[in-house]
Amino acid sequence: MTTLEQTAEKLDFKRILPILLIVLVDLMGLSIIIPLMPLFAARFGATPLMIGILQATYPLMQFIGAPILGRFSDRYGRKPVLIASQIGTLVGFVILGFANTLWLLFLSRIIDGLSGANISTAQAAIADSTNEKTRTQGLGLIGAAFGVGFVLGPIIAYIMLAASGGDYRAVALTAAFFSLISILLTTFWFQETHRDASSSTSALKSPFRFAAMFDALRRPTIGFLLLIMFFYQVAFGGYEQLFSLFTLTRLGMDATDTSGLFALAGIFIVIVQGGLIGRWSRKKGDRWLSILGVSTLAIGLIGTALTPSIPVPWYSESRVMESLAGHGEVQVSTQNIKVTLPDERRKGWGGIMWLLVASFPAALGGGVLHPAVNSLITKSSDKREVGGMLGISSGFYSAANALAPLFYGFLFQWLGAPVPFFAGGLILLLLWMLAPRAIPNRKKGD
């Protein structure tokens, strides 16, 4: 292998470092506020259903906004679209910080969602800055920055709440501060990566048509990859959003206990996406990674569903109820809490050990699938439409995020805690059976 070929197989970290840092800062701001959104809404008298609708608002708006902004990034360049989306995020956080009514919370999430093309545009910039041999590693590092941001964000939120005496406004304005930093980084450090704007302009006669999403679904390989992206996030997104409720009702774990599991899974995902996925992609290819991700995530979800209802050894029903009731302005009577907790007399290690074992294949699949599928989408697309295709992928991802809590929540409430995880795993098993035929086995540059 010549020196030139060796160089082509190595990722240029200096070139993508600004993109990774921008994503990291963006995600730190986002993950700071996400855990507090239900409490923000509860403060203004929102019902659980209304809180669910509020949580779905952001991904629904992102479903609308991300494909449009992704197509704009193909026409006008990554940098201006990235800055515009970051300004929208900043405005959303500032409104959130000063919100005194429920409708302002909705307004903040609508603005942030509609302008939420930060990640898809950053992915397009990564695609611009890599070749087919290094693209999956680059997109995997985006996922690693994602994971690091989601690990650091809740820690920063905890520090701000402790320093401000539990003032949620301080947390929202801290998120706005991180958003401002990302705008400054993009403005003064990030260099435009999309160099062929003129040809993109001629190729794209309109900014975006929603029919383009259905057109993309009809394309043999890309259509199946978009279906994987959608159903993967329905399954994995619902898993993430209802995992705390599952561990509470099945194992008697409170928020502190479950946050430890999330941090452990986040660290594992960072290791996979930051260090292993590039090596696996070069040796095995994105097709192999995608099939691996679907199968391991299915195993993890079904394994989670089979977790025995054995509370953790340190479980105390009274302590968990006090934790659920909260304190200060958001404190409620424990009589209003309708969650069914496990029997305190059956405590042991069996449940938590089983769940830990099931969590690793779930985290592996969740960490591998997103970058591998997006890499295959870019390789199956014309260079002039990469941003638009990644925007469409982000749109399907956001639609799944909006659907996931409704789908999982309905099954959880009416059919029992294990059922939604079984359902998600079975959907992924079906995709795993179809994947070998639906995804071509490329001989070069896979």
Side-chain angles (χ1 to χ4, degrees):
M1 182 180 293
T2 67
T3 303
L4 185 61
E5 290 173 331
Q6 290 176 335
T7 302
E9 290 194 1
K10 290 184 178 180
L11 187 65
D12 187 349
F13 286 99
K14 290 183 179 179
R15 189 175 181 186
I16 70 168
L17 180 60
I19 308 170
L20 297 178
L21 189 56
I22 288 166
V23 170
L24 173 61
V25 174
D26 273 340
L27 265 296
M28 285 173 66
L30 178 62
S31 61
I32 283 172
I33 205 64
I34 282 178
L36 291 178
M37 284 306 299
L39 299 181
F40 263 111
R43 172 173 290 177
F44 303 121
T47 63
L49 176 60
M50 190 61 67
I51 291 173
I53 295 172
L54 176 65
Q55 289 177 313
T57 298
Y58 176 85
L60 280 173
M61 293 300 103
Q62 195 174 51
F63 173 73
I64 296 171
I68 297 173
L69 292 179
R71 189 63 66 93
F72 274 131
S73 79
D74 283 333
R75 173 176 291 196
Y76 302 113
R78 315 305 185 201
K79 186 170 183 174
V81 171
L82 195 56
I83 292 174
S85 67
Q86 290 167 333
I87 290 173
T89 297
L90 173 62
V91 171
F93 284 148
V94 170
I95 292 175
L96 186 63
F98 291 99
N100 57 7
T101 61
L102 186 60
W103 74 266
L104 283 176
L105 294 186
F106 274 95
L107 179 64
S108 72
R109 305 313 290 153
I110 289 170
I111 293 174
D112 195 5
L114 285 173
S115 59
N118 310 38
I119 303 304
S120 61
T121 305
Q123 289 171 335
I126 288 287
D128 297 336
S129 306
T130 55
N131 57 43
E132 291 200 349
K133 291 185 177 294
T134 61
R135 188 165 300 149
T136 305
Q137 185 180 6
L139 291 172
L141 288 174
I142 287 277
F146 221 94
V148 171
F150 269 101
V151 169
L152 293 179
I155 296 174
I156 295 172
Y158 173 81
I159 293 172
M160 292 307 302
L161 285 170
S164 63
D167 189 348
Y168 296 166
R169 292 175 300 176
V171 180
L173 294 178
T174 300
F177 173 73
F178 278 106
S179 187
L180 177 61
I181 291 176
S182 71
I183 293 172
L184 295 175
L185 287 172
T186 305
T187 302
F188 297 107
W189 191 17
F190 176 73
Q191 300 296 318
E192 179 60 67
T193 61
H194 189 55
R195 305 298 182 188
D196 195 21
S198 60
S199 61
S200 295
T201 303
S202 62
L204 303 172
K205 299 186 188 233
S206 60
F208 178 75
R209 297 178 301 113
F210 278 103
M213 302 185 76
F214 297 99
D215 292 340
L217 280 175
R218 285 194 288 266
R219 294 167 66 166
T221 300
I222 289 178
F224 185 76
L225 292 171
L226 290 173
L227 288 178
I228 288 182
M229 181 64 72
F230 178 79
F231 287 110
Y232 140 70
Q233 191 53 27
V234 167
F236 191 59
Y239 168 84
E240 290 177 310
Q241 295 183 56
L242 271 78
F243 187 74
S244 297
L245 184 59
F246 181 86
T247 57
L248 174 67
T249 58
R250 205 78 174 164
L251 304 179
M253 297 174 65
D254 63 12
T256 303
D257 298 332
T258 305
S259 66
L261 288 181
F262 270 113
L264 182 63
I267 292 170
F268 180 66
I269 290 174
V270 168
I271 293 172
V272 170
Q273 293 185 327
L276 299 178
I277 194 171
R279 189 182 314 164
W280 290 344
S281 175
R282 288 191 296 271
K283 288 184 177 180
K284 300 289 189 177
D286 295 333
R287 178 179 181 271
W288 180 86
L289 274 177
S290 298
I291 295 172
L292 172 72
V294 171
S295 61
T296 54
L297 182 54
I299 291 169
L301 291 181
I302 293 174
T304 298
L306 294 173
T307 301
S309 183
I310 303 174
V312 290
W314 57 90
Y315 168 60
S316 166
E317 183 174 345
S318 60
R319 180 180 62 84
V320 170
M321 290 297 285
E322 290 175 4
S323 173
L324 290 174
H327 65 279
E329 294 182 13
V330 296
Q331 186 171 7
V332 299
S333 170
T334 56
Q335 296 179 351
N336 295 329
I337 299 173
K338 306 300 184 183
V339 174
T340 301
L341 297 179
D343 189 344
E344 200 173 62
R345 296 170 297 179
R346 300 188 60 214
K347 295 190 288 188
W349 289 100
I352 182 63
M353 295 305 296
W354 180 286
L355 185 62
L356 282 172
V357 172
S359 295
F360 279 101
L364 174 62
V368 163
L369 262 176
H370 201 161
V373 171
N374 270 338
S375 180
L376 281 174
I377 288 173
T378 64
K379 293 172 183 178
S380 302
S381 306
D382 188 279
K383 290 183 178 180
R384 298 173 297 175
E385 61 178 4
V386 165
M389 280 299 172
L390 287 175
I392 289 173
S393 172
S394 180
F396 278 100
Y397 183 88
S398 298
N401 269 333
L403 179 62
L406 304 177
F407 173 65
Y408 266 61
F410 175 83
L411 294 178
F412 198 109
Q413 179 170 344
W414 295 108
L415 298 178
V419 175
F421 300 91
F422 264 126
L426 291 176
I427 290 170
L428 291 170
L429 278 180
L430 176 61
L431 290 175
W432 172 70
M433 289 188 289
L434 296 174
R437 291 186 178 182
I439 304 175
N441 191 4
R442 297 172 49 149
K443 300 301 183 182
K444 296 181 180 181
D446 181 46

mmCIF file with all atom_site columns, all heavy atoms in Angstrom, residues 243-264:
data_model
loop_
_atom_site.group_PDB
_atom_site.id
_atom_site.type_symbol
_atom_site.label_atom_id
_atom_site.label_alt_id
_atom_site.label_comp_id
_atom_site.label_asym_id
_atom_site.label_entity_id
_atom_site.label_seq_id
_atom_site.pdbx_PDB_ins_code
_atom_site.Cartn_x
_atom_site.Cartn_y
_atom_site.Cartn_z
_atom_site.occupancy
_atom_site.B_iso_or_equiv
_atom_site.pdbx_formal_charge
_atom_site.auth_seq_id
_atom_site.auth_comp_id
_atom_site.auth_asym_id
_atom_site.auth_atom_id
_atom_site.pdbx_PDB_model_num
ATOM 1   N N   . PHE A 1 243 ? -37.180 3.831  29.788 1.00 0.00 ? 243 PHE A N   1
ATOM 2   C CA  . PHE A 1 243 ? -36.285 2.983  30.566 1.00 0.00 ? 243 PHE A CA  1
ATOM 3   C C   . PHE A 1 243 ? -36.390 3.285  32.059 1.00 0.00 ? 243 PHE A C   1
ATOM 4   O O   . PHE A 1 243 ? -36.416 2.374  32.891 1.00 0.00 ? 243 PHE A O   1
ATOM 5   C CB  . PHE A 1 243 ? -34.846 3.187  30.086 1.00 0.00 ? 243 PHE A CB  1
ATOM 6   C CG  . PHE A 1 243 ? -33.853 2.250  30.713 1.00 0.00 ? 243 PHE A CG  1
ATOM 7   C CD1 . PHE A 1 243 ? -33.789 0.921  30.336 1.00 0.00 ? 243 PHE A CD1 1
ATOM 8   C CD2 . PHE A 1 243 ? -32.968 2.702  31.687 1.00 0.00 ? 243 PHE A CD2 1
ATOM 9   C CE1 . PHE A 1 243 ? -32.876 0.056  30.914 1.00 0.00 ? 243 PHE A CE1 1
ATOM 10  C CE2 . PHE A 1 243 ? -32.050 1.845  32.273 1.00 0.00 ? 243 PHE A CE2 1
ATOM 11  C CZ  . PHE A 1 243 ? -31.996 0.519  31.883 1.00 0.00 ? 243 PHE A CZ  1
ATOM 12  N N   . SER A 1 244 ? -36.468 4.577  32.416 1.00 0.00 ? 244 SER A N   1
ATOM 13  C CA  . SER A 1 244 ? -36.563 4.943  33.830 1.00 0.00 ? 244 SER A CA  1
ATOM 14  C C   . SER A 1 244 ? -37.849 4.406  34.456 1.00 0.00 ? 244 SER A C   1
ATOM 15  O O   . SER A 1 244 ? -37.835 3.932  35.605 1.00 0.00 ? 244 SER A O   1
ATOM 16  C CB  . SER A 1 244 ? -36.511 6.464  33.985 1.00 0.00 ? 244 SER A CB  1
ATOM 17  O OG  . SER A 1 244 ? -35.277 6.978  33.545 1.00 0.00 ? 244 SER A OG  1
ATOM 18  N N   . LEU A 1 245 ? -38.955 4.484  33.720 1.00 0.00 ? 245 LEU A N   1
ATOM 19  C CA  . LEU A 1 245 ? -40.220 3.960  34.238 1.00 0.00 ? 245 LEU A CA  1
ATOM 20  C C   . LEU A 1 245 ? -40.152 2.442  34.368 1.00 0.00 ? 245 LEU A C   1
ATOM 21  O O   . LEU A 1 245 ? -40.678 1.861  35.330 1.00 0.00 ? 245 LEU A O   1
ATOM 22  C CB  . LEU A 1 245 ? -41.365 4.367  33.309 1.00 0.00 ? 245 LEU A CB  1
ATOM 23  C CG  . LEU A 1 245 ? -42.777 3.987  33.758 1.00 0.00 ? 245 LEU A CG  1
ATOM 24  C CD1 . LEU A 1 245 ? -43.110 4.595  35.111 1.00 0.00 ? 245 LEU A CD1 1
ATOM 25  C CD2 . LEU A 1 245 ? -43.798 4.419  32.710 1.00 0.00 ? 245 LEU A CD2 1
ATOM 26  N N   . PHE A 1 246 ? -39.490 1.788  33.426 1.00 0.00 ? 246 PHE A N   1
ATOM 27  C CA  . PHE A 1 246 ? -39.336 0.340  33.478 1.00 0.00 ? 246 PHE A CA  1
ATOM 28  C C   . PHE A 1 246 ? -38.530 -0.078 34.705 1.00 0.00 ? 246 PHE A C   1
ATOM 29  O O   . PHE A 1 246 ? -38.930 -0.979 35.447 1.00 0.00 ? 246 PHE A O   1
ATOM 30  C CB  . PHE A 1 246 ? -38.654 -0.160 32.203 1.00 0.00 ? 246 PHE A CB  1
ATOM 31  C CG  . PHE A 1 246 ? -38.469 -1.647 32.138 1.00 0.00 ? 246 PHE A CG  1
ATOM 32  C CD1 . PHE A 1 246 ? -39.479 -2.470 31.663 1.00 0.00 ? 246 PHE A CD1 1
ATOM 33  C CD2 . PHE A 1 246 ? -37.279 -2.226 32.558 1.00 0.00 ? 246 PHE A CD2 1
ATOM 34  C CE1 . PHE A 1 246 ? -39.312 -3.850 31.612 1.00 0.00 ? 246 PHE A CE1 1
ATOM 35  C CE2 . PHE A 1 246 ? -37.110 -3.602 32.517 1.00 0.00 ? 246 PHE A CE2 1
ATOM 36  C CZ  . PHE A 1 246 ? -38.119 -4.416 32.038 1.00 0.00 ? 246 PHE A CZ  1
ATOM 37  N N   . THR A 1 247 ? -37.379 0.572  34.935 1.00 0.00 ? 247 THR A N   1
ATOM 38  C CA  . THR A 1 247 ? -36.544 0.200  36.077 1.00 0.00 ? 247 THR A CA  1
ATOM 39  C C   . THR A 1 247 ? -37.234 0.531  37.397 1.00 0.00 ? 247 THR A C   1
ATOM 40  O O   . THR A 1 247 ? -37.032 -0.161 38.395 1.00 0.00 ? 247 THR A O   1
ATOM 41  C CB  . THR A 1 247 ? -35.183 0.911  36.019 1.00 0.00 ? 247 THR A CB  1
ATOM 42  O OG1 . THR A 1 247 ? -35.379 2.331  35.959 1.00 0.00 ? 247 THR A OG1 1
ATOM 43  C CG2 . THR A 1 247 ? -34.390 0.450  34.814 1.00 0.00 ? 247 THR A CG2 1
ATOM 44  N N   . LEU A 1 248 ? -38.068 1.571  37.392 1.00 0.00 ? 248 LEU A N   1
ATOM 45  C CA  . LEU A 1 248 ? -38.806 1.929  38.602 1.00 0.00 ? 248 LEU A CA  1
ATOM 46  C C   . LEU A 1 248 ? -39.829 0.855  38.953 1.00 0.00 ? 248 LEU A C   1
ATOM 47  O O   . LEU A 1 248 ? -39.884 0.374  40.089 1.00 0.00 ? 248 LEU A O   1
ATOM 48  C CB  . LEU A 1 248 ? -39.500 3.278  38.410 1.00 0.00 ? 248 LEU A CB  1
ATOM 49  C CG  . LEU A 1 248 ? -40.439 3.733  39.537 1.00 0.00 ? 248 LEU A CG  1
ATOM 50  C CD1 . LEU A 1 248 ? -39.655 4.019  40.804 1.00 0.00 ? 248 LEU A CD1 1
ATOM 51  C CD2 . LEU A 1 248 ? -41.234 4.961  39.093 1.00 0.00 ? 248 LEU A CD2 1
ATOM 52  N N   . THR A 1 249 ? -40.642 0.475  37.983 1.00 0.00 ? 249 THR A N   1
ATOM 53  C CA  . THR A 1 249 ? -41.731 -0.465 38.260 1.00 0.00 ? 249 THR A CA  1
ATOM 54  C C   . THR A 1 249 ? -41.257 -1.913 38.347 1.00 0.00 ? 249 THR A C   1
ATOM 55  O O   . THR A 1 249 ? -41.896 -2.744 38.981 1.00 0.00 ? 249 THR A O   1
ATOM 56  C CB  . THR A 1 249 ? -42.814 -0.361 37.173 1.00 0.00 ? 249 THR A CB  1
ATOM 57  O OG1 . THR A 1 249 ? -42.224 -0.634 35.889 1.00 0.00 ? 249 THR A OG1 1
ATOM 58  C CG2 . THR A 1 249 ? -43.426 1.032  37.150 1.00 0.00 ? 249 THR A CG2 1
ATOM 59  N N   . ARG A 1 250 ? -40.140 -2.202 37.697 1.00 0.00 ? 250 ARG A N   1
ATOM 60  C CA  . ARG A 1 250 ? -39.645 -3.590 37.669 1.00 0.00 ? 250 ARG A CA  1
ATOM 61  C C   . ARG A 1 250 ? -38.627 -3.858 38.776 1.00 0.00 ? 250 ARG A C   1
ATOM 62  O O   . ARG A 1 250 ? -38.624 -4.921 39.382 1.00 0.00 ? 250 ARG A O   1
ATOM 63  C CB  . ARG A 1 250 ? -38.998 -3.844 36.306 1.00 0.00 ? 250 ARG A CB  1
ATOM 64  C CG  . ARG A 1 250 ? -38.971 -5.306 35.886 1.00 0.00 ? 250 ARG A CG  1
ATOM 65  C CD  . ARG A 1 250 ? -40.310 -5.735 35.383 1.00 0.00 ? 250 ARG A CD  1
ATOM 66  N NE  . ARG A 1 250 ? -40.268 -7.094 34.833 1.00 0.00 ? 250 ARG A NE  1
ATOM 67  C CZ  . ARG A 1 250 ? -41.348 -7.813 34.620 1.00 0.00 ? 250 ARG A CZ  1
ATOM 68  N NH1 . ARG A 1 250 ? -42.534 -7.311 34.904 1.00 0.00 ? 250 ARG A NH1 1
ATOM 69  N NH2 . ARG A 1 250 ? -41.257 -9.023 34.121 1.00 0.00 ? 250 ARG A NH2 1
ATOM 70  N N   . LEU A 1 251 ? -37.733 -2.872 39.027 1.00 0.00 ? 251 LEU A N   1
ATOM 71  C CA  . LEU A 1 251 ? -36.621 -3.090 39.949 1.00 0.00 ? 251 LEU A CA  1
ATOM 72  C C   . LEU A 1 251 ? -36.625 -2.138 41.141 1.00 0.00 ? 251 LEU A C   1
ATOM 73  O O   . LEU A 1 251 ? -35.736 -2.233 41.997 1.00 0.00 ? 251 LEU A O   1
ATOM 74  C CB  . LEU A 1 251 ? -35.279 -2.959 39.206 1.00 0.00 ? 251 LEU A CB  1
ATOM 75  C CG  . LEU A 1 251 ? -35.083 -3.858 37.985 1.00 0.00 ? 251 LEU A CG  1
ATOM 76  C CD1 . LEU A 1 251 ? -33.728 -3.599 37.356 1.00 0.00 ? 251 LEU A CD1 1
ATOM 77  C CD2 . LEU A 1 251 ? -35.220 -5.330 38.363 1.00 0.00 ? 251 LEU A CD2 1
ATOM 78  N N   . GLY A 1 252 ? -37.577 -1.200 41.191 1.00 0.00 ? 252 GLY A N   1
ATOM 79  C CA  . GLY A 1 252 ? -37.630 -0.270 42.303 1.00 0.00 ? 252 GLY A CA  1
ATOM 80  C C   . GLY A 1 252 ? -36.490 0.733  42.314 1.00 0.00 ? 252 GLY A C   1
ATOM 81  O O   . GLY A 1 252 ? -36.099 1.233  43.378 1.00 0.00 ? 252 GLY A O   1
ATOM 82  N N   . MET A 1 253 ? -35.951 1.079  41.135 1.00 0.00 ? 253 MET A N   1
ATOM 83  C CA  . MET A 1 253 ? -34.818 2.005  41.044 1.00 0.00 ? 253 MET A CA  1
ATOM 84  C C   . MET A 1 253 ? -35.334 3.424  40.870 1.00 0.00 ? 253 MET A C   1
ATOM 85  O O   . MET A 1 253 ? -36.184 3.683  40.018 1.00 0.00 ? 253 MET A O   1
ATOM 86  C CB  . MET A 1 253 ? -33.912 1.613  39.875 1.00 0.00 ? 253 MET A CB  1
ATOM 87  C CG  . MET A 1 253 ? -33.282 0.239  40.033 1.00 0.00 ? 253 MET A CG  1
ATOM 88  S SD  . MET A 1 253 ? -32.339 -0.289 38.581 1.00 0.00 ? 253 MET A SD  1
ATOM 89  C CE  . MET A 1 253 ? -31.024 0.925  38.570 1.00 0.00 ? 253 MET A CE  1
ATOM 90  N N   . ASP A 1 254 ? -34.787 4.372  41.656 1.00 0.00 ? 254 ASP A N   1
ATOM 91  C CA  . ASP A 1 254 ? -35.193 5.765  41.526 1.00 0.00 ? 254 ASP A CA  1
ATOM 92  C C   . ASP A 1 254 ? -34.337 6.460  40.479 1.00 0.00 ? 254 ASP A C   1
ATOM 93  O O   . ASP A 1 254 ? -33.509 5.835  39.798 1.00 0.00 ? 254 ASP A O   1
ATOM 94  C CB  . ASP A 1 254 ? -35.139 6.478  42.885 1.00 0.00 ? 254 ASP A CB  1
ATOM 95  C CG  . ASP A 1 254 ? -33.728 6.535  43.466 1.00 0.00 ? 254 ASP A CG  1
ATOM 96  O OD1 . ASP A 1 254 ? -32.753 6.242  42.737 1.00 0.00 ? 254 ASP A OD1 1
ATOM 97  O OD2 . ASP A 1 254 ? -33.605 6.875  44.660 1.00 0.00 ? 254 ASP A OD2 1
ATOM 98  N N   . ALA A 1 255 ? -34.529 7.776  40.333 1.00 0.00 ? 255 ALA A N   1
ATOM 99  C CA  . ALA A 1 255 ? -33.844 8.532  39.283 1.00 0.00 ? 255 ALA A CA  1
ATOM 100 C C   . ALA A 1 255 ? -32.331 8.479  39.437 1.00 0.00 ? 255 ALA A C   1
ATOM 101 O O   . ALA A 1 255 ? -31.596 8.388  38.446 1.00 0.00 ? 255 ALA A O   1
ATOM 102 C CB  . ALA A 1 255 ? -34.326 9.979  39.298 1.00 0.00 ? 255 ALA A CB  1
ATOM 103 N N   . THR A 1 256 ? -31.839 8.532  40.683 1.00 0.00 ? 256 THR A N   1
ATOM 104 C CA  . THR A 1 256 ? -30.395 8.487  40.904 1.00 0.00 ? 256 THR A CA  1
ATOM 105 C C   . THR A 1 256 ? -29.817 7.158  40.452 1.00 0.00 ? 256 THR A C   1
ATOM 106 O O   . THR A 1 256 ? -28.770 7.111  39.784 1.00 0.00 ? 256 THR A O   1
ATOM 107 C CB  . THR A 1 256 ? -30.084 8.709  42.397 1.00 0.00 ? 256 THR A CB  1
ATOM 108 O OG1 . THR A 1 256 ? -30.645 9.952  42.818 1.00 0.00 ? 256 THR A OG1 1
ATOM 109 C CG2 . THR A 1 256 ? -28.585 8.722  42.639 1.00 0.00 ? 256 THR A CG2 1
ATOM 110 N N   . ASP A 1 257 ? -30.496 6.062  40.808 1.00 0.00 ? 257 ASP A N   1
ATOM 111 C CA  . ASP A 1 257 ? -30.026 4.741  40.387 1.00 0.00 ? 257 ASP A CA  1
ATOM 112 C C   . ASP A 1 257 ? -29.993 4.623  38.860 1.00 0.00 ? 257 ASP A C   1
ATOM 113 O O   . ASP A 1 257 ? -29.007 4.169  38.275 1.00 0.00 ? 257 ASP A O   1
ATOM 114 C CB  . ASP A 1 257 ? -30.949 3.650  40.945 1.00 0.00 ? 257 ASP A CB  1
ATOM 115 C CG  . ASP A 1 257 ? -30.976 3.614  42.461 1.00 0.00 ? 257 ASP A CG  1
ATOM 116 O OD1 . ASP A 1 257 ? -29.982 4.003  43.079 1.00 0.00 ? 257 ASP A OD1 1
ATOM 117 O OD2 . ASP A 1 257 ? -32.011 3.198  43.016 1.00 0.00 ? 257 ASP A OD2 1
ATOM 118 N N   . THR A 1 258 ? -31.093 5.037  38.222 1.00 0.00 ? 258 THR A N   1
ATOM 119 C CA  . THR A 1 258 ? -31.194 4.875  36.778 1.00 0.00 ? 258 THR A CA  1
ATOM 120 C C   . THR A 1 258 ? -30.218 5.788  36.038 1.00 0.00 ? 258 THR A C   1
ATOM 121 O O   . THR A 1 258 ? -29.690 5.410  34.988 1.00 0.00 ? 258 THR A O   1
ATOM 122 C CB  . THR A 1 258 ? -32.634 5.157  36.312 1.00 0.00 ? 258 THR A CB  1
ATOM 123 O OG1 . THR A 1 258 ? -33.529 4.311  37.032 1.00 0.00 ? 258 THR A OG1 1
ATOM 124 C CG2 . THR A 1 258 ? -32.792 4.883  34.826 1.00 0.00 ? 258 THR A CG2 1
ATOM 125 N N   . SER A 1 259 ? -29.953 6.982  36.584 1.00 0.00 ? 259 SER A N   1
ATOM 126 C CA  . SER A 1 259 ? -28.991 7.879  35.937 1.00 0.00 ? 259 SER A CA  1
ATOM 127 C C   . SER A 1 259 ? -27.609 7.250  35.894 1.00 0.00 ? 259 SER A C   1
ATOM 128 O O   . SER A 1 259 ? -26.841 7.477  34.955 1.00 0.00 ? 259 SER A O   1
ATOM 129 C CB  . SER A 1 259 ? -28.946 9.226  36.661 1.00 0.00 ? 259 SER A CB  1
ATOM 130 O OG  . SER A 1 259 ? -28.434 9.074  37.971 1.00 0.00 ? 259 SER A OG  1
ATOM 131 N N   . GLY A 1 260 ? -27.284 6.427  36.896 1.00 0.00 ? 260 GLY A N   1
ATOM 132 C CA  . GLY A 1 260 ? -26.012 5.716  36.863 1.00 0.00 ? 260 GLY A CA  1
ATOM 133 C C   . GLY A 1 260 ? -25.942 4.741  35.706 1.00 0.00 ? 260 GLY A C   1
ATOM 134 O O   . GLY A 1 260 ? -24.903 4.608  35.050 1.00 0.00 ? 260 GLY A O   1
ATOM 135 N N   . LEU A 1 261 ? -27.051 4.041  35.438 1.00 0.00 ? 261 LEU A N   1
ATOM 136 C CA  . LEU A 1 261 ? -27.090 3.130  34.293 1.00 0.00 ? 261 LEU A CA  1
ATOM 137 C C   . LEU A 1 261 ? -26.965 3.889  32.977 1.00 0.00 ? 261 LEU A C   1
ATOM 138 O O   . LEU A 1 261 ? -26.274 3.452  32.051 1.00 0.00 ? 261 LEU A O   1
ATOM 139 C CB  . LEU A 1 261 ? -28.391 2.326  34.308 1.00 0.00 ? 261 LEU A CB  1
ATOM 140 C CG  . LEU A 1 261 ? -28.542 1.244  35.374 1.00 0.00 ? 261 LEU A CG  1
ATOM 141 C CD1 . LEU A 1 261 ? -29.885 0.540  35.233 1.00 0.00 ? 261 LEU A CD1 1
ATOM 142 C CD2 . LEU A 1 261 ? -27.408 0.234  35.295 1.00 0.00 ? 261 LEU A CD2 1
ATOM 143 N N   . PHE A 1 262 ? -27.635 5.045  32.886 1.00 0.00 ? 262 PHE A N   1
ATOM 144 C CA  . PHE A 1 262 ? -27.532 5.858  31.673 1.00 0.00 ? 262 PHE A CA  1
ATOM 145 C C   . PHE A 1 262 ? -26.092 6.317  31.447 1.00 0.00 ? 262 PHE A C   1
ATOM 146 O O   . PHE A 1 262 ? -25.592 6.315  30.316 1.00 0.00 ? 262 PHE A O   1
ATOM 147 C CB  . PHE A 1 262 ? -28.450 7.076  31.773 1.00 0.00 ? 262 PHE A CB  1
ATOM 148 C CG  . PHE A 1 262 ? -29.840 6.833  31.237 1.00 0.00 ? 262 PHE A CG  1
ATOM 149 C CD1 . PHE A 1 262 ? -30.925 6.822  32.081 1.00 0.00 ? 262 PHE A CD1 1
ATOM 150 C CD2 . PHE A 1 262 ? -30.050 6.620  29.894 1.00 0.00 ? 262 PHE A CD2 1
ATOM 151 C CE1 . PHE A 1 262 ? -32.209 6.601  31.602 1.00 0.00 ? 262 PHE A CE1 1
ATOM 152 C CE2 . PHE A 1 262 ? -31.324 6.400  29.390 1.00 0.00 ? 262 PHE A CE2 1
ATOM 153 C CZ  . PHE A 1 262 ? -32.405 6.389  30.247 1.00 0.00 ? 262 PHE A CZ  1
ATOM 154 N N   . ALA A 1 263 ? -25.423 6.741  32.526 1.00 0.00 ? 263 ALA A N   1
ATOM 155 C CA  . ALA A 1 263 ? -24.030 7.190  32.398 1.00 0.00 ? 263 ALA A CA  1
ATOM 156 C C   . ALA A 1 263 ? -23.142 6.042  31.944 1.00 0.00 ? 263 ALA A C   1
ATOM 157 O O   . ALA A 1 263 ? -22.268 6.219  31.082 1.00 0.00 ? 263 ALA A O   1
ATOM 158 C CB  . ALA A 1 263 ? -23.545 7.758  33.726 1.00 0.00 ? 263 ALA A CB  1
ATOM 159 N N   . LEU A 1 264 ? -23.367 4.843  32.508 1.00 0.00 ? 264 LEU A N   1
ATOM 160 C CA  . LEU A 1 264 ? -22.582 3.674  32.114 1.00 0.00 ? 264 LEU A CA  1
ATOM 161 C C   . LEU A 1 264 ? -22.801 3.349  30.641 1.00 0.00 ? 264 LEU A C   1
ATOM 162 O O   . LEU A 1 264 ? -21.840 3.099  29.891 1.00 0.00 ? 264 LEU A O   1
ATOM 163 C CB  . LEU A 1 264 ? -22.974 2.478  32.984 1.00 0.00 ? 264 LEU A CB  1
ATOM 164 C CG  . LEU A 1 264 ? -22.223 1.167  32.737 1.00 0.00 ? 264 LEU A CG  1
ATOM 165 C CD1 . LEU A 1 264 ? -20.744 1.342  33.052 1.00 0.00 ? 264 LEU A CD1 1
ATOM 166 C CD2 . LEU A 1 264 ? -22.821 0.048  33.587 1.00 0.00 ? 264 LEU A CD2 1
#
